[in-house]
Amino acid sequence: MRESVKARKERAARIYDLLVECYPDAHCALHHRNPYELAVATILSAQCTDERVNKVTPALFERYPEALDLAGARQDELEQLIHSTGFFRNKAKNLIGMATAVAEKHGNELPRNMKELVALPGIGRKTANVILGNAFGIDEGVVVDTHVKRLANRMSFTRHPDPVRIERDLMKLFPRERWTLLAHLLIFHGRQVCAARKPRCEECALSRLCPSSSV
């Protein structure tokens, strides 16, 4: 039976409430103290675990505490510091480019809007959503990573594989004030219960509301 938009929204609201109960401490896993540090950490997190990034960033932030400092970094020194995060040459280039733009065009402060953020090297819509939602408390969109993509499809919130279409569908289903936390909730659930290869449906609090449940 085809689910109506109203029924899907009601199911989505119930799933959200259950996820909040299951993960009351859901939050951004990347350690940061300010928008600049979050931007750097998020760029480093591409194709890398948050745990690995969190091991690398303390020394990085001690060496380059502000965008202005990072803008003056030597490529080879930066590469050495971030080597273990993978794709270190491209990431180093993007980090220096991002920091240079922030220092020269934005007074050493990260901009607070999507248009200016995505114009910075190394920052696409996903990274901008992370920064806006977690550093500035601005719900501009929904972060769609591999966990969010997987769970959104399993829960029939979307039928699309494309992150842009997935984000658009999630934004239609959930109120704006829930967009930032929604991503964290889905990521926590994806890591702890709804795994990629073998989801633990028998342990899942959402089983009755999930079309993909095997229970």
Side-chain angles (χ1 to χ4, degrees):
M1 181 178 177
R2 187 180 179 86
E3 185 179 37
S4 68
V5 173
K6 180 182 178 182
R8 189 177 301 116
K9 283 188 174 183
E10 290 174 351
R11 183 169 60 85
R14 291 167 66 191
I15 285 176
Y16 182 93
D17 290 341
L18 283 171
L19 287 172
V20 170
E21 288 181 21
C22 293
Y23 311 104
D25 61 338
H27 61 279
C28 179
L30 294 168
H31 297 167
H32 64 281
R33 295 169 295 187
N34 53 57
Y36 158 71
E37 290 189 356
L38 181 56
V40 171
T42 308
I43 289 173
L44 289 176
S45 70
Q47 304 298 314
C48 180
T49 65
D50 293 345
E51 291 77 12
R52 169 53 56 186
V53 173
N54 290 337
K55 289 179 180 178
V56 168
T57 49
L60 182 64
F61 296 147
E62 184 177 357
R63 179 73 177 83
Y64 310 108
E66 296 183 1
L68 188 60
D69 302 304
L70 185 58
R74 281 179 46 183
Q75 174 93 11
D76 58 340
E77 289 183 0
L78 184 54
E79 287 178 4
Q80 205 167 23
L81 278 171
I82 67 172
H83 189 278
S84 64
T85 67
F87 302 96
F88 58 92
R89 289 191 180 86
N90 193 50
K91 288 180 180 180
K93 180 181 177 182
N94 282 335
L95 286 173
I96 293 173
M98 178 274 293
T100 300
V102 169
E104 293 180 354
K105 300 178 181 179
H106 300 285
N108 209 37
E109 298 288 337
L110 265 291
R112 295 178 175 232
N113 64 81
M114 179 65 70
K115 183 178 179 181
E116 290 181 317
L117 279 173
V118 298
L120 299 174
I123 295 183
R125 182 175 175 87
K126 174 186 167 185
T127 300
N129 275 332
V130 172
I131 297 167
L132 289 171
N134 296 283
F136 297 123
I138 300 172
D139 291 289
E140 183 67 28
V142 180
V143 173
V144 179
D145 75 343
T146 54
H147 296 290
V148 175
K149 177 180 178 179
R150 180 174 72 255
L151 269 64
N153 274 278
R154 283 181 176 172
M155 294 176 185
S156 292
F157 291 157
T158 185
R159 297 178 181 178
H160 302 291
D162 175 47
V164 174
R165 297 290 297 274
I166 293 171
E167 181 185 9
R168 195 177 302 158
D169 287 343
L170 291 174
M171 289 166 69
K172 290 177 182 177
L173 275 181
F174 295 88
R176 176 182 285 267
E177 64 271 14
R178 294 186 168 185
W179 290 350
T180 297
L181 184 55
L182 172 65
H184 296 317
L185 292 168
L186 292 175
I187 290 168
F188 268 55
H189 192 62
R191 285 175 174 165
Q192 298 185 31
V193 178
C194 196
R197 294 185 179 179
K198 193 176 180 182
R200 301 202 299 275
C201 298
E202 67 283 354
E203 301 174 25
C204 183
L206 314 178
S207 283
R208 291 184 299 104
L209 298 171
C210 180
S212 301
S213 175
S214 62
V215 177

